[in-house]
């Protein structure tokens, strides 16, 4: 049989790179590059290149499983559905839908997320969320409030047009690797690059100005930049007058943030703050890129608003080379949010607490009444489970045991549930806690759309068949819905997309017929619309078309170093692993490069503790302890240590404190101590 090339979207990060899977005799045999792709231009990072390694892994879930006294038993799909009717359906009847929770997956397609959202709401539950809660929830809150939309404002290739790229709290060189190419291109054309990060990362190596701030002090830094821009008259007066409100309040709010004072809080030299402010505001076009270093704080929403303020006072929105860019993490976290897998929204960001929203969808879905009001977020569901308030959960493609903060707390909560069903491609730590585990097909084994960080909606084709009896999430969810008394009659993803086209205005014109090729960028309201690469070019979708400048004040992180816990632990990522690691730890070429959990410690701190490079140490916080291999480095400053969360252990340490509005945990600041492993 001849070789066939099947176009597909990378299953790892939100950059949305496409490539071809070559298929021979119904087996995926290799990758071919796609130079015509607008964002990746045929390039892939190490994870994209290794993505096929998970397809035929021996650990893939092949059959539905149920927990037995001494392990797991293979069961039929029929029995699995019966157990779900008894467990999930039983909890719905006995305790009511408000005590049942759903986690949807930002690894799944838009069509699958839409159906999981529809399933939860039609069963009467408001409790649906996805891993955006642990990721960009503050962007959803903060940018909707300031700019009226939470997406990345400009497309990836537009970065090349920027004359100043300000990267704050993002290690894109490792985590959105393909973006570095565009920033290097901007640099070649003379752009200034500013990086603000507590660690000297691969991204920081690209910087002309590097601001190595203390973790959790971003509001102070950003207000300091606004202070200098205002004081030196570098604002865009016309833009402020025509398109914003709230400027005077900002002037008042930042007047005490002199470079000297900000330097004391952040540890960044005052001169560098002034240089960065001038570079950002004087440049004709400046873009701000940010990610988890901004959002994963108890001040995450404030941080995001402080970023929007900078862009607004300097008029850096709505034109090429400018913008506010929340770099979305998972391959489809943008889409999972667009499809309403969030406690606050129905599909298309229609507010869940607005009765009109429920009326709109009950008409659209032909359902009598739908729940009105904000549900529990992912983090709140786990807390509620721990208190016995949530009784049953359906978790699709998410691994809270490893990705939520304070794993011991998560473990206790999940253990308390009367019934847990987990749908994944591997037996994760979360699946281990389940009563029933359902085997899902992974991206290359199914079709549908994914929305990348630049809001590009792309169709991914099925290349190969799933292993054993594994089925696509779309098929599984329809089956669950029908067993629970709903009527989900969708033959394929295209049928679901047609319904999305009708009910989600931003996706109105993103039809299956238009999606062969490089996709379309939403909002795309009708079939003739070309898509909208740059947001806000005609003003803002807020009152009078104006954006809101929202002043914020610096508040310290919830935890600080103390006598007992003298280090600040910050957590994050490395290039060759992905999130909780279920896929990349099983990729031979990737695990070989980073085989185990490590902790980066400043060389001076290590010398004081008599710790040598490669020693196994114990890292302890108020919540738990884990061992890790010491890695001595000057990338982190004295008093700060860094651990990736790709191996279980890291999240035993992290704090459960969340941002009061967005409910994102403060993954980036926990106090800890380091000691010898006995
Ligand atoms: N290789 C790889 N790529 C990925 C992922 C992965 O796991 N591995 N995951 C994907 C996902 S889901 C996401 S959300 C993105 C995340 O992508 P990033 O946001 O780039 O990931 P992180 O490494 O968590 O954090 C980014 C940076 O924030 C810095 N930081 C920590 N604390 C602070 C602070 O207080 N202030 C500031 N300014 N910076 C701080 C860290 O030192 C780090 O360099 O990556 C996506 N891409
Ligand atoms: N300490 C610390 N913790 C963090 C972070 C941090 O920076 N520091 N970052 C947070 C962030 S930004 C995020 S996004 C979260 C991520 O948290 P999670 O979403 O829990 O992390 P993943 O490991 O990506 O989990 C995705 C799961 O989906 C499965 N999967 C893959 N494809 C499919 C599919 O097609 N169908 C189904 N059903 N399953 C599939 C994978 O096997 C995996 O188990 O972690 C958060 N946790
Ligand atoms: S940058 Fe992201 S989308 Fe592109 S190949 Fe790497 S992981 Fe995949
Ligand atoms: Mo994320």
């Amino acid at each position: 049989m001849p070789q066939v090339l099947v176009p597909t979207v990378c299953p790892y990060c939100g950059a949305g790179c496409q490539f071809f899977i070559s298929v021979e005799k119904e087996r995926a045999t290799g990758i071919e590059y796609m130079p015509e792709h607008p964002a990746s231009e045929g390039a892939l990072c190490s994870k994209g290149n290794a993505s096929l390694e998970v397809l035929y892994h021996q650990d893939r879930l092949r059959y539905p499983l149920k927990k037995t006294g001494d392990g797991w038993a293979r069961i039929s799909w029929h029995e699995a559905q019966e157990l779900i009717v008894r467990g999930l359906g039983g909890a719905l009847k006995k305790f009511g839908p408000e005590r049942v929770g759903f986690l949807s997956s930002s690894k799944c397609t838009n069509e699958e997320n839409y159906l999981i959202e529809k399933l939860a709401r039609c069963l009467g539950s408001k409790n649906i969320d996805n891993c955006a809660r642990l990721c960009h929830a503050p962007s959803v809150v903060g940018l909707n409030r300031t700019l009226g939309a939470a997406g990345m404002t400009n497309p990836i290739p537009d970065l090349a047009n920027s004359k100043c790229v300000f990267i704050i709290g993002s290690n894109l060189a490792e985590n959105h690797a393909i973006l570095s190419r565009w920033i290097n291109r901007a640099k070649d054309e003379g752009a200034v690059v500013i990086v603000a990060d507590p660690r000297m990362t691969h991204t920081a190596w690209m910087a002309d100005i590097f601001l190595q701030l203390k973790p959790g002090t971003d509001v102070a830094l950003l207000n300091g930049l606004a202070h200098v821009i205002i004081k030196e008259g570098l604002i865009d007066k016309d833009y402020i007058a025509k398109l914003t409100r709230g400027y005077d309040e900002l002037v008042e709010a930042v007047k005490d943030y002199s470079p000297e004072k900000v330097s004391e809080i952040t540890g960044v030299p005052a001169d560098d703050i002034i240089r960065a402010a001038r570079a950002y505001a004087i440049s004709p076009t400046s873009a701000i890129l940010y990610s988890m270093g901004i959002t994963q704080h108890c001040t995450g929403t404030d941080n995001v608003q402080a970023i929007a303020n900078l862009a607004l006072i300097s008029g850096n929105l709505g034109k090429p080379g400018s913008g506010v860019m929340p770099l979305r993490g998972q391959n489809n976290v943008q889409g999972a949010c667009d499809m309403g897998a969030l406690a606050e929204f129905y599909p298309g960001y229609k507010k869940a607490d607005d009765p009109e929203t429920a009326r709109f969808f009950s008409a659209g879905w032909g359902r009598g009444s739908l729940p009105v009001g904000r549900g529990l977020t992912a983090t709140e569901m786990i807390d509620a489970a721990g208190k016995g308030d949530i009784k049953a959960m359906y978790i699709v493609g998410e691994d809270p045991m490893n990705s939520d903060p304070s794993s011991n707390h998560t473990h206790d909560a999940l253990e308390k549930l009367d019934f847990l069903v987990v749908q994944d491609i591997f037996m994760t730590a979360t699946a281990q806690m389940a009563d029933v585990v359902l085997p899902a097909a992974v991206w290359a084994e199914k079709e549908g759309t994914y929305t990348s960080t630049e809001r590009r909606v792309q169709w991914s084709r099925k290349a190969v068949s799933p292993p054993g009896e594994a089925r696509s999430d779309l098929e599984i969810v329809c089956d669950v819905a029908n067993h629970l008394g709903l009527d989900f009659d969708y033959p394929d993803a295209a049928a679901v997309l047609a319904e999305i086209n009708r009910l989600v205005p931003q996706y109105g014109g993103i039809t299956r017929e238009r999606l062969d090729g490089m996709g379309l960028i939403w909002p795309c309201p009708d079939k003739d619309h070309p898509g909208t690469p740059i947001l806000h070019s005609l003003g803002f979708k807020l009152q009078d078309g104006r954006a809101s400048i929202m002043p914020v004040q610096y508040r310290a992180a919830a935890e600080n170093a103390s006598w007992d816990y003298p280090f600040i632990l910050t957590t994050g990522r490395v290039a060759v692993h992905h999130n909780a690691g279920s896929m990349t730890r099983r990729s031979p070429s990737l695990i070989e490069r980073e085989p185990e959990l490590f902790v980066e410690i400043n060389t001076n701190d290590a010398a004081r503790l008599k710790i040598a490079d490669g020693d196994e140490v114990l890292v302890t916080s108020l919540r738990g302890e884990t061992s890790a291999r010491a890695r001595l480095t000057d990338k982190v400053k004295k008093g700060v240590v860094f651990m990736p969360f790709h191996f279980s252990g890291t999240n035993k340490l992290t704090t459960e404190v969340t941002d009061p509005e967005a409910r994102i945990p403060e993954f980036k600041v926990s106090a800890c101590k380091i000691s010898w492993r006995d």
Side-chain angles (χ1 to χ4, degrees):
M1 214 192 272
Q3 184 198 50
V4 185
L5 292 183
V6 182
T8 193
V9 183
C10 176
Y12 284 114
C13 93
C17 304
Q18 284 202 44
F19 56 90
F20 296 100
I21 301 179
S22 44
V23 180
E24 268 173 275
K25 296 191 183 138
E26 293 177 33
R27 244 188 116 75
T29 52
I31 279 174
E32 296 279 332
Y33 298 116
M34 193 188 278
E36 63 274 28
H37 191 266
S40 60
E41 297 184 312
L44 295 179
C45 75
S46 51
K47 293 187 304 306
N49 272 313
S51 57
L52 300 186
E53 291 176 14
V54 298
L55 288 181
Y56 302 112
H57 197 278
Q58 60 191 30
D59 293 352
R60 280 293 300 277
L61 291 170
R62 289 174 163 73
Y63 308 99
L65 300 169
K66 74 172 173 190
K67 192 168 271 164
T68 58
D70 52 359
W72 294 95
R74 176 178 162 180
I75 54 173
S76 66
W77 275 105
H78 178 72
E79 185 178 349
Q81 293 294 358
E82 281 190 340
L83 290 173
I84 292 169
V85 169
R86 221 177 298 154
L88 208 62
L92 286 163
K93 275 205 194 92
K94 189 165 162 202
F95 304 108
E98 64 283 359
R99 299 182 76 180
V100 173
F102 296 79
L103 291 183
S104 192
S105 179
S106 49
K107 283 265 161 271
C108 286
T109 62
N110 287 318
E111 294 72 25
E112 291 164 344
N113 275 285
Y114 176 84
L115 291 182
I116 298 165
E117 153 78 357
K118 182 170 173 180
L119 171 73
R121 307 281 181 190
C122 288
L123 292 173
S125 178
K126 296 182 250 179
N127 308 323
I128 169 143
D129 221 20
N130 81 89
C131 76
R133 190 62 52 192
L134 313 172
C135 190
H136 268 295
S139 304
V140 176
V141 178
L143 294 184
N144 268 317
R145 182 180 291 158
T146 47
L147 308 181
M152 196 164 138
T153 58
N154 293 46
I156 293 171
D158 183 50
L159 284 168
N161 299 322
S162 189
K163 292 293 168 216
C164 174
V165 182
F166 178 17
I167 305 167
I168 179 162
S170 154
N171 185 10
L172 56 86
E174 293 199 66
N175 301 331
H176 293 91
I178 247 57
L179 268 69
S180 306
R181 299 160 57 84
W182 297 99
I183 295 168
N184 281 328
R185 232 168 267 183
K187 266 181 86 110
D188 289 346
E189 297 296 315
V192 179
V193 174
I194 308 167
V195 173
D197 199 298
R199 297 163 56 223
M200 172 53 95
T201 57
H202 288 39
T203 310
W205 296 343
M206 298 165 74
D208 300 293
I209 306 174
F210 176 42
L211 312 171
Q212 194 165 12
L213 79 176
K214 190 179 154 209
T217 60
D218 296 83
V219 166
L221 178 69
L222 292 159
N223 277 357
L225 297 174
H227 174 102
V228 175
I229 292 171
I230 291 167
K231 189 169 158 210
E232 300 195 355
L234 305 177
I235 52 166
D236 185 334
K237 281 200 191 97
D238 284 351
Y239 192 89
I240 292 171
K242 276 200 206 112
L243 285 166
T244 70
R245 67 181 79 245
Y247 175 69
D248 293 341
E249 289 84 340
L250 182 73
V251 174
E252 183 60 28
V254 302
K255 74 173 190 306
D256 291 336
Y257 289 82
S258 66
E260 295 69 29
K261 182 178 164 193
V262 171
S263 175
E264 268 170 42
I265 301 172
T266 59
V268 177
D271 282 353
D272 288 346
I273 296 169
I274 297 169
R275 275 203 306 146
R278 287 178 185 159
Y280 176 78
I282 290 172
S283 143
T285 53
S286 300
I288 306 185
L289 282 64
Y290 74 89
S291 192
M292 296 303 100
I294 281 297
T295 56
Q296 291 175 334
H297 292 281
C298 69
T299 59
T301 306
D302 290 352
N303 290 349
V304 169
Q305 287 174 191
I307 285 178
N309 291 346
L310 270 196
L312 288 168
I313 61 170
S314 56
N316 272 308
L317 283 160
K319 59 183 182 184
S322 72
V324 171
M325 322 280 212
L327 302 179
R328 293 306 193 106
Q330 294 268 34
N331 55 335
N332 200 32
V333 63
Q334 180 68 57
C337 296
D338 300 345
M339 295 302 119
L342 284 172
E344 305 92 335
F345 299 104
Y346 273 72
Y349 302 98
K350 291 212 189 307
K351 290 197 174 110
D353 56 9
D354 181 353
E356 186 43 47
T357 300
R359 272 198 289 277
F360 177 82
F361 283 99
S362 33
W365 290 342
R367 290 288 302 172
S369 74
L370 292 171
V372 179
R374 172 191 180 282
L376 296 177
T377 63
T379 39
E380 289 167 340
M381 282 186 234
I382 296 294
D383 290 346
K387 292 187 194 124
D389 292 340
I390 286 278
K391 292 291 190 186
M393 285 186 79
Y394 183 5
I395 300 181
V396 183
E398 196 165 329
D399 187 11
M401 275 291 297
N402 281 323
S403 57
D404 273 16
S406 190
S407 313
N408 294 333
H409 168 73
T410 312
H411 178 272
D412 293 348
L414 294 180
E415 208 169 45
K416 275 216 172 129
L417 291 172
D418 283 1
F419 183 76
L420 173 62
V421 47
V422 171
Q423 185 167 313
D424 206 292
I425 62 168
F426 289 117
M427 181 59 87
T428 60
T430 305
Q432 290 284 358
M433 305 291 297
D435 300 286
V436 175
V437 174
L438 304 177
V442 77
W443 99 104
E445 301 157 355
K446 58 188 179 185
E447 58 174 16
T449 56
Y450 300 89
T451 305
S452 76
T453 184
E454 55 176 357
R455 292 174 280 113
R456 186 183 296 279
V457 183
Q458 308 187 98
W459 185 268
S460 187
R461 297 239 201 113
K462 177 175 171 173
V464 289
S465 299
E469 292 179 9
R471 302 167 73 194
S472 73
D473 294 276
L474 187 143
E475 289 171 288
I476 304 172
V477 172
C478 286
D479 220 15
V480 169
N482 292 334
H483 275 84
L484 291 173
L486 301 170
D487 180 20
F488 276 25
D489 179 19
Y490 300 97
D492 53 22
V496 185
L497 182 58
E499 185 170 314
I500 295 171
N501 295 151
R502 276 205 315 282
L503 297 180
V504 180
Q506 297 88 332
Y507 284 63
I510 306 186
T511 58
R512 173 66 193 96
E513 302 73 59
R514 296 182 74 191
L515 284 177
D516 284 323
M518 301 305 147
L520 283 161
I521 296 187
W522 72 254
C524 176
D526 58 64
K527 281 189 183 139
D528 303 317
H529 196 285
T532 315
I534 299 184
L535 292 178
H536 314 309
S537 53
L538 302 170
F540 298 87
K541 289 215 160 50
L542 290 169
Q543 198 194 341
D544 307 330
R546 286 167 186 265
S548 291
I549 294 172
M550 291 271 175
V552 284
Q553 292 295 338
Y554 166 68
R555 285 183 286 126
E559 272 188 4
N560 206 341
S562 64
W563 180 257
D564 290 332
Y565 297 99
F567 291 98
I568 296 284
L569 166 68
T570 175
T571 63
R573 295 161 165 81
V574 298
V576 296
H577 281 295
H578 189 74
N579 291 356
S582 73
M583 295 163 79
T584 50
R585 279 189 276 112
R586 289 184 173 89
S587 277
S589 68
L590 299 174
I591 190 74
E592 193 189 6
R593 288 165 64 184
E594 279 297 357
E596 60 184 355
L597 181 57
F598 64 86
V599 51
E600 284 182 359
I601 309 174
N602 178 276
T603 334
N604 292 309
D605 286 331
R608 205 167 35 79
L609 294 168
K610 304 205 172 13
I611 288 169
D613 196 52
D615 283 353
E616 197 172 324
V617 295
L618 199 62
V619 191
T620 313
S621 80
L622 273 173
R623 289 145 303 265
E625 61 175 37
T626 188
S627 52
R629 185 82 54 202
R631 197 171 277 184
L632 273 45
T633 174
D634 290 328
K635 284 195 222 162
V636 285
K637 279 191 171 175
K638 268 173 35 182
V640 177
V641 297
F642 166 78
M643 290 170 82
F645 78 108
H646 312 300
F647 300 84
S648 58
T650 302
N651 271 329
K652 287 189 183 154
L653 308 171
T654 45
T655 169
E656 298 132 61
V657 171
T658 58
D659 175 289
E661 281 186 283
R663 293 288 168 201
I664 190 170
E666 189 151 53
F667 286 123
K668 294 291 187 257
V669 187
S670 303
C672 73
K673 68 178 171 192
I674 311 265
S675 51
W676 281 90
R677 176 105 242 181
D678 296 329

